[in-house]
Amino acid sequence: MLKKPGLRFAALTFSLLLISVFAIAQAQQTKSTKQTRPAKQNQNPDEKQRKVKAEPNDAYTRWINEDAALIITNAERAAYAKLRTNEEREQFIHLFWDRRDPTPDTEENEYRDEHYERTAYANEHFASGVRGSLTDRGRIYIKFGKPDEIESHPAGGSYERMSYEGGGTTTTVPFEKWFYRNIPGVRSGVEIEFVDPTGSGEYRIARDFSEKDANAHAPGYVPPSDVDGGYVREQDSFFSRQALRNDLEKAPEFAPQVLALMNEPKLDENPLNFDIRADYFKLSDNRVIAAFTVQTENRDLVFTPSGGLQTAKLNIVGRIVNLQDRRVDAFEDVVSTSATVAELTEIRNRRSAYSKVVVLAPGHYKVDVIVRDTESGAAGVRHLGVDVPKYEDDKLATSSMILAARLENMEGREASSQFVIGQTKVIPNLTGLYHRGQPLGVYLQVYNAGIDQTTLRPAVDVEYALSKDGKEIGKQLEDWTGISDTGKRLTLARLLSTQALAPADYEVTIRVKDHVSGQALVQSAKFTVVP
């Protein structure tokens, strides 16, 4: 267990509250050279090789079609369409926002934050049967922000035309005029008129001043500006208005910034290797416990004398962001461990783990974590994309399946929160390596299992099976005698013996069958037995 500086310990373990900075990496695209070969005559079409592109999941589709639809350039959209994996899409999204960040040296991205604030405002104030972001006013507001001046006529009615509109008095439908002193990439002095001819609240961009006239569709109507002698501004000409409409359809201009990348260590110069893992456990319908674990090899750490002990220190920096690249949480922590000189030789052959939990809503998150040895300067970085599952109330489900280096029942005992899930202390084994004779810990939670109303025990069969090279070599059944869990949450914490297993690769499988609902689930994990 991890001890604070100055304390002795037998097994070096850290525990990490992960949060992470999603990969601040630049998306790289590779060009593939196509070679044309003559097609074999009479070749069966089903036998031809096909290149299959992995389709993005809903979150990435929504991002390109909704979140960034109004501000992404044609070149960026074309590049995004060529990406083949969700990891590449994550990197692209991060780079997309970084290029627009006006203050790359700060943690905040003002451009991104303002974009989502504008979108929320548009959806709240300009909706009319469709989302506000889909209306003309909403699109202009999201792209270019609040206008410098607004002239609003929400009820229409009597209106005195300006001289360049032909003059005179008329009756109008509801309309608004928005004025921008300057829109970069468009022009200075931009005036946009929106009309609502149906009175439904959905304003659209007018092609000319006459569209707001309530009599515009009456037989024999002649626009005042077309009357002989009428004065028409150049900006109100058909071609000028059409050019403006075309410019307004383009993505807004931005000044590309030098990427404000996290001060990543140069891994090729002085790397520090570590493993990282995320596990998920149901807390409620809309909240999930995400347990993150980082594991290092002690032989890679530098121990130096401190207060009569040998001490190693690690600086852990991380951040979790959502798909919109908004930060969910962030941290910087220094952890240390100490050992006597006599213990040091043994400790160097062990591993250290630092783990903690955070509560997240179901969804996709981007995670980045950097671990640095404060003495040697050696550092490593890991990037993760994690999908936090949604657990439904009426559906049989399981938590993540953990292969553990140690399982300990903490019921009735005072315990810290480190590695403790429910009433069990679970220290994951991220490498999956077990010395022969070392117990294989298996931990899993089962949700929404049926209850036998006669015995009041779970009406669920649970089977643990070991296999090698795809062949089953043994199995055990779960005994529910004395179980204290309810059917809503069953905890499986089993130590399996490896004494009879020869050094080799194996797989452990847990099969769950609910006799009430008829639902069944299977979870499996691979491990290796070493001498």
Side-chain angles (χ1 to χ4, degrees), residues 22-23 25-28 54 56-57 60 80 83-94 323 364 366 383-387:
F22 164 67
Q26 183 172 355
Q28 298 180 348
N57 63 29
Y60 299 105
Y80 188 84
L83 302 180
R84 294 187 171 274
T85 67
N86 287 338
E87 287 72 20
E88 290 176 348
R89 295 180 184 105
E90 288 177 355
Q91 293 176 350
F92 178 97
I93 293 171
H94 191 91
L323 193 57
H364 192 83
K366 293 163 287 187
H383 310 300
L384 292 177
V386 297
D387 285 298

Side-chain angles (χ1 to χ4, degrees), residues 137 150-155 175-177 203:
R137 287 188 301 172
I150 296 179
E151 179 185 336
S152 180
H153 300 265
F175 75 96
E176 288 185 358
K177 289 183 181 180
Y203 290 73

Side-chain angles (χ1 to χ4, degrees), residues 281 399-404 407 421-426 441-445 491-494 510:
F281 305 89
S399 67
S400 301
M401 176 178 171
I402 298 179
L403 294 186
L407 290 176
I421 305 173
Q423 296 180 343
T424 308
K425 189 168 212 174
V426 184
V442 181
Y443 184 88
L444 185 74
Q445 291 185 356
T491 298
L492 307 178
R494 176 67 69 98
I510 300 180

Side-chain angles (χ1 to χ4, degrees), residues 197-219:
T198 63
S200 64
E202 183 174 351
Y203 290 73
R204 55 180 174 77
I205 296 178
R207 290 166 295 184
D208 57 61
F209 290 125
S210 66
E211 287 199 35
K212 64 175 173 289
D213 200 314
N215 301 315
H217 298 289

